[in-house]
Amino acid sequence: MNKSVVFKIDGVEVTATPGQTIMEAADEAGIYIPRLCDVEGLDPQGSCRLCTVKVNGRSVSSCTQPVVDGSEVENNTLEIQCYRRDLVRMLFHEGNHLCPICEASGNCELQAMGYRLGISKATKFPYLQPVRPVDASHPDILLDTNRCIHCGRCIRASASVDGKHVFGYIGRGIHRRVGVNAENLAKTDALLEDKAIASETCPVGCIIQKRNGFCTPVGKREFDHEPIGSSIENS
Ligand code: SF4
Ligand code: SF4
Ligand code: FES
């Protein structure tokens, strides 16, 4: 039988299974580590860096880093919170985010993360204001990558769960955006039933199910009453 791994997160002792990631072990212990590119059901990508923690003083992504017996993990320190705030601010500044008119508002993980991290005003980073084409060709789905945070969740879901490879990255560097494997979304085999289109897959308001926008009234949306991460902390 495999011996358990025992380590500490912010001084709290956590028991894990060998091979688990720090994030998986933290989740099971009811300790929330912020994340955006990671979501249950998809392999971790380790790209957003929001889940960065320090293990024995070294920065790592907790969604990909396996637990180490006897290690000391820092998660909720002032330094790490400042780092996470800057990452989230940069995501806001990289895209076009107008929350009051966005279908995802109240259910959006980026918006909820901003609230959780205490971001309440504009910062020094310049708004890049990208102008990316909106693809409304599909009868049931709209793709607006002006709000994309490049988490890759749609790409991984389409490839590994749906087996369709509908979504992928186009371009490089600052011009990189999510595109589809055809002239437009209507010419792909994307369906509403796909995991890539499911509301829990895109953390922001890029992949929109038509005729569903603003269906949930204010007050009943996912993050109207509890901050993001509460489901883990209250489990
Ligand atoms: S995607 Fe989220 S953060 Fe961006 S405008 Fe919509 S609600 Fe706001
Ligand atoms: S479209 Fe949504 S799920 Fe896909 S990479 Fe952008 S933010 Fe992530
Ligand atoms: S959640 Fe770990 S890098 Fe994005």
Side-chain angles (χ1 to χ4, degrees), residues 92 96-100 102-106 108-111 147 203-206:
F92 274 110
N96 285 331
H97 295 280
L98 298 165
C99 295
C102 177
E103 294 91 330
S105 192
C108 169
E109 293 177 37
L110 176 65
Q111 182 190 52
R147 302 162 181 161
V204 291
C206 290

Side-chain angles (χ1 to χ4, degrees), residues 143-190:
L143 180 64
D144 181 354
T145 57
N146 291 291
R147 302 162 181 161
C148 182
I149 59 169
H150 303 128
C151 68
R153 283 160 52 163
C154 58
I155 298 171
R156 280 175 283 152
S158 187
S160 65
V161 181
D162 304 328
K164 293 184 174 179
H165 299 273
V166 166
F167 298 104
Y169 287 122
I170 298 171
R172 301 177 64 183
I174 199 171
H175 301 295
R176 188 177 74 155
R177 66 181 175 87
V178 163
V180 297
N181 64 352
E183 190 184 326
N184 56 42
L185 202 53
K187 295 197 171 148
T188 70
D189 50 359

